[in-house]
Each structure stands twice: as structure tokens, then as C-alpha cells.
Amino acid sequence: MRSEIASFKECKSIAIMGGTFDPIHNGHLVTAEAVRHRFNVDKVIFIPTGRPAHKAKRQITANEHRYLMTVLATMRNQNFEVSRIEIDRPGMTYTIDTIEALKQMCRPDVRLYFITGADAIHQIMNWKEPERLLSLCDFVAVTRPGYDRERLYGDIREIKEKFTSRIHFMEVPALAISSSDIRNREKRGEPIKYLLPQAVEDYIHKFCLYQDEEKDEVKFMLDLGVMQEKLQSALSIKRYIHTMGVADEAERLAEIYGTQRDKQKARVAGLLHDCAKDFPPQMRDRFCKEYKVPMDEYMIKIPDLIHPFLGAEVAKREYLVADEEILGAIRFHTTGKANMTLLEKIIYIADYIEPNRESFDGIEEARRLAYLDLNMAMKYILEETIKYVKTKGREIHPLSLEAIEYYKEC
């Protein structure tokens, strides 16, 4: 964020190109360059959306994929930049929040141009705080050839009269390309070449994006072999052996209690559950700050509690895992929590009973229970863990206390 602020402070004018970019295509790039040329702006900032309110019901591709595709598409144009401002913001995404945040990063007299599709102009009065939004920036309404201009001009005139806002119109032939068409073509196995930059096409094929879900039940962001190679270099030998044991154990439990899909997810979550465990303190603290990992008082007192929460962010950003079930299993594999998902319970238990663990009191009972009933195993392991933590004179994390109360009742 600091580099973004430094870059924006130099600009007298900025065009903002927002969108899901699922995927970004040549129509977006042509539009951005056309706006840059016509209004002579210093930079065009591409902002992949986080959770856009108007698309809350549509499943969109993982944030990191869309961000990285946008970076690949724009990296050869020195006047283009990509911002994480929306994908790093929690909760629903609203344009007014983004514009106000950008205003704070820029010089006071900056002029902002917000690029949007012409269809959005018809709906702009339904956006969050439309009056304030229309006072903060110029709008550039872009259309493909053949669009109903008269209706658009009528809406623009009405808005101008009411808010004296600056709204501009541009026709861009390349907007005949659409992201939804690219997704559908890729799903059907049809060519998408020349509709988007080659680097983006290669990325889509490398990570099997937009494939038919029935043909590819679980899409993991990196190949399992690549994950293991990265882990070998990131973990100590002892930690890597433990990790492989957890992955194997998790897969066995998922085979008993879940589906083939659960089995695949269990292997990935097992592989990555300790991906941040061996970070040196300085690196751990730097990543926690960079990835905005929330730190509570217990994590500050007991740094060992940090690695699962940081690990979920590392899995998302470094290993490109987008599946929330997998991320949750990594996040809670140390503390546990009330009402855990099947995958969260499997990873928590597998971490405790994996076959490479040195023998200790209670491990055989935990293994016996794990293959009888997961809830019984959760209760037993939580009780044993809490007793052990107390012998060390350490405080118990509230999530663990909530978990034990929950599983006592189960």
C-alpha cells in the first residue's frame, strides 16, 4: 500500500478501471488506453473487485487469480498499475469506499476519472451514496458499437441536471469482447486466443480456470507436486516428514468419513497446515503485517499460535489456494473451534495422530477414537491438549475453550 501511495501522490489525474476481470481481456486494455489518451491522465489504475455488491449471487474466480491475471495483462504498459485496494478489503465492495480511499492516497487537487460500462450509468442512482460519488469523480461511460445512445444520453442529461456531474461518453469497438464469453468458450474447449493477452491465456490454461466442474471436481491452485517442492524448501526435514504424515492421515480419514472431493481437499490442507510454521520470527512478523493477519492478545503472548492463522494467508497467496474449506482447516488446526466442518476436524485430528509422531500418553486412544467417531476424537484430543497446555503454565485460547464446551455437548 505504501508504494501505491507514493506512486499516486505524483499524479495530477488518474483513471480508475474497476472490474471483476474474470478474466481481464483485450477489451479492458483497449478501453483503458483510449481513456488515458483522450483525457491525458497520468496513470490508469486497474482495481480487481473484492466482493462486488452487484454480483453477490454469482460465483467469481478467486481474488488472487484475478489479481495475478490483471498484473500479467498490464505489466508491459508503464502507464498502467494494479491495486489490491479492493481485494484486500474485507466484506462487500462498494465504489464509494474505493474512491474515498484513493482520494486519501492522492494529492488534494487530483482529478479522478471512473471508467464504467454504459449499463451502469442507468443504475448509478441505486449505488451506495450516489450523490457523494458523483461529486468526487468524473464518470467515463464506455459502450460497444450499436449501443442505444439515446437512452444513455437521456440518463446522463437527467443526472447532470440533478447533480451537475461530469459524465463523458466513449464508444470502444473492442468492448464486443466479454469475460463471460471467454469463460464459456474455455469451458466448451473453444479457442480464446487473441481475445486476451497471451500471458493471461497461458495462466488460465496452467491453472485450469473456467473448466467444467464436473470434469474437474476440485481445482487446486498449484499442482500437488509443485506444492510439495515448495514445502521442501520452506520446512525443516523434521517438519516436512510430519507434514507428509498429516497429509496421508487426513486422506485416510476423509476416505472413511467424506467423499472423493473431501479426500482431495484433505490432502492439500494436510500438506499446507504448517506451511508457515518454520518462518523465522522476523519473517513471520513481516508477513503478518503484510497479509494483515489479525493478532489477539493470546497470539502476542504465545507466538506458536500465530502460524495457523498466518498459514491460511500464505496458502492463499503463495500456494494460490482459494477454497475456503481448506483455508479454514489450516486456520483452526491448532486452536480448534466450536462447530468445526468435517475438513477442519479431519486436519485437527490428523495433526495429532499422524504416524510419524513420537509416542506419548493418549495418542493410541486418540487414534482409536478417530476411526470410530470424529466428535469423540475431537473431545478427547481437546481435553488432552488443554491439560498439556496448562502443565506448561500457558493460557488457553478462547477458541479452544469454546471448542471443548461444544464437543462435550456433542
Side-chain angles (χ1 to χ4, degrees):
M1 187 65 75
R2 283 193 299 271
S3 61
E4 284 185 358
I5 293 173
S7 173
F8 298 166
K9 284 290 186 185
E10 302 168 1
C11 299
K12 294 180 180 179
S13 59
I14 292 175
I16 300 155
M17 185 79 178
T20 50
F21 300 131
D22 192 16
I24 189 168
H25 54 68
N26 289 337
H28 296 128
L29 301 174
V30 170
T31 298
E33 183 63 16
V35 171
R36 188 192 71 80
H37 176 75
R38 174 171 167 180
F39 297 99
N40 195 29
V41 298
D42 297 318
K43 282 187 182 295
V44 179
I45 310 300
F46 288 74
I47 304 181
T49 55
R51 290 181 59 207
H54 65 291
K55 295 188 179 180
K57 294 182 180 178
R58 180 172 86 74
Q59 183 69 34
I60 61 174
T61 303
N63 289 352
E64 291 301 318
H65 276 321
R66 294 183 295 108
Y67 171 75
L68 291 172
M69 286 190 287
T70 308
V71 169
L72 288 170
T74 58
M75 62 192 303
R76 293 184 179 276
N77 190 324
Q78 63 181 359
N79 299 305
F80 289 175
E81 285 195 18
V82 184
S83 172
R84 299 182 62 92
I85 190 171
E86 287 198 359
I87 63 172
D88 284 342
R89 181 192 299 143
M92 205 66 76
T93 297
Y94 294 97
T95 301
I96 183 65
D97 301 326
T98 300
I99 296 298
E100 288 185 328
L102 283 173
K103 280 279 189 180
Q104 293 176 5
M105 296 181 197
C106 299
R107 50 193 287 169
D109 61 342
V110 70
R111 186 163 186 175
L112 298 180
Y113 295 85
F114 187 82
I115 306 169
T116 187
D119 288 339
I121 295 295
H122 301 297
Q123 303 296 325
I124 198 167
M125 297 313 299
N126 296 321
W127 292 16
K128 182 183 177 183
E129 298 184 45
E131 297 91 341
R132 177 158 175 72
L133 181 59
L134 286 161
S135 71
L136 289 176
C137 60
D138 288 42
F139 272 73
V140 182
V142 293
T143 74
R144 59 179 61 88
Y147 192 85
D148 185 354
R149 294 191 188 185
E150 291 306 313
R151 183 186 168 207
L152 175 63
Y153 291 154
D155 284 354
I156 289 177
R157 279 194 295 270
E158 185 179 337
I159 294 169
K160 279 186 174 181
E161 289 169 7
K162 193 170 183 180
F163 298 103
T164 62
S165 299
R166 294 162 299 191
I167 299 182
H168 314 276
F169 166 80
M170 284 186 68
E171 188 176 272
V172 181
L175 277 181
I177 302 170
S178 77
S179 295
S180 59
D181 179 56
I182 291 171
R183 293 194 301 271
N184 290 331
R185 292 174 71 87
E186 184 66 13
K187 185 176 287 190
R188 295 192 299 265
E190 298 174 2
I192 58 175
K193 189 174 290 296
Y194 307 124
L195 298 174
L196 68 181
Q198 184 64 49
V200 177
E201 181 186 356
D202 292 343
Y203 187 97
I204 289 169
H205 292 158
K206 178 178 180 180
F207 294 108
C208 302
L209 303 185
Y210 316 123
Q211 298 296 310
D212 189 337
E213 290 187 3
E214 293 181 1
K215 294 179 182 176
D216 185 14
E217 269 196 351
V218 182
K219 303 184 189 71
F220 296 120
M221 304 305 113
L222 290 182
D223 177 80
L224 290 180
V226 177
M227 282 188 185
Q228 288 182 208
E229 287 179 15
K230 284 172 68 72
L231 286 167
Q232 278 183 304
S233 61
L235 302 176
S236 66
I237 294 174
K238 184 177 180 181
R239 181 69 53 196
Y240 182 73
I241 292 171
H242 164 70
T243 289
M244 296 307 295
V246 173
D248 291 342
E249 187 67 41
E251 204 170 4
R252 283 192 289 270
L253 290 171
E255 190 167 12
I256 295 170
Y257 294 105
T259 63
Q260 179 63 27
R261 183 181 181 85
D262 294 318
K263 186 177 173 182
Q264 290 176 293
K265 289 187 178 187
R267 178 137 203 104
V268 173
L271 284 173
L272 297 179
H273 81 288
D274 271 353
C275 62
K277 180 78 170 180
D278 285 346
F279 284 3
Q282 279 188 320
M283 179 186 292
R284 179 196 66 210
D285 294 344
R286 178 168 62 83
F287 277 119
C288 282
K289 187 175 181 181
E290 183 176 338
Y291 293 163
K292 298 180 176 64
V293 177
M295 301 284 286
D296 59 34
E297 59 180 295
Y298 299 91
M299 293 163 69
I300 293 170
K301 290 178 187 175
I302 310 167
D304 279 351
L305 293 176
I306 296 173
H307 82 273
F309 297 93
L310 175 58
E313 292 301 317
V314 171
K316 182 194 298 185
R317 298 163 187 267
E318 304 297 327
Y319 293 84
L320 303 179
V321 172
D323 191 291
E324 282 301 325
E325 281 190 274
I326 295 173
L327 297 175
I330 296 168
R331 190 176 291 117
F332 300 111
H333 82 266
T334 299
T335 60
K337 70 180 183 73
N339 195 24
M340 296 167 78
T341 66
L342 172 65
L343 188 60
E344 287 168 350
K345 287 187 281 190
I346 283 173
I347 299 304
Y348 185 92
I349 293 168
D351 184 36
Y352 194 85
I353 68 171
E354 64 93 0
N356 299 315
R357 285 274 191 198
E358 293 181 11
S359 183
F360 57 85
D361 289 344
I363 191 169
E364 292 306 324
E365 178 64 6
R367 285 172 176 157
R368 184 184 74 83
L369 291 173
Y371 285 86
L372 288 175
D373 184 283
L374 288 182
N375 286 344
M376 290 170 61
M378 283 297 306
K379 176 178 175 291
Y380 180 81
I381 294 171
L382 281 161
E383 288 174 337
E384 292 298 301
T385 301
I386 287 172
K387 279 194 291 187
Y388 174 78
V389 171
K390 285 181 176 177
T391 64
K392 295 293 183 180
R394 298 193 318 219
E395 292 184 64
I396 311 297
H397 196 282
L399 286 172
S400 299
L401 295 175
E402 291 172 10
I404 190 61
E405 290 305 314
Y406 178 85
Y407 286 103
K408 278 180 181 177
E409 297 200 3
C410 286

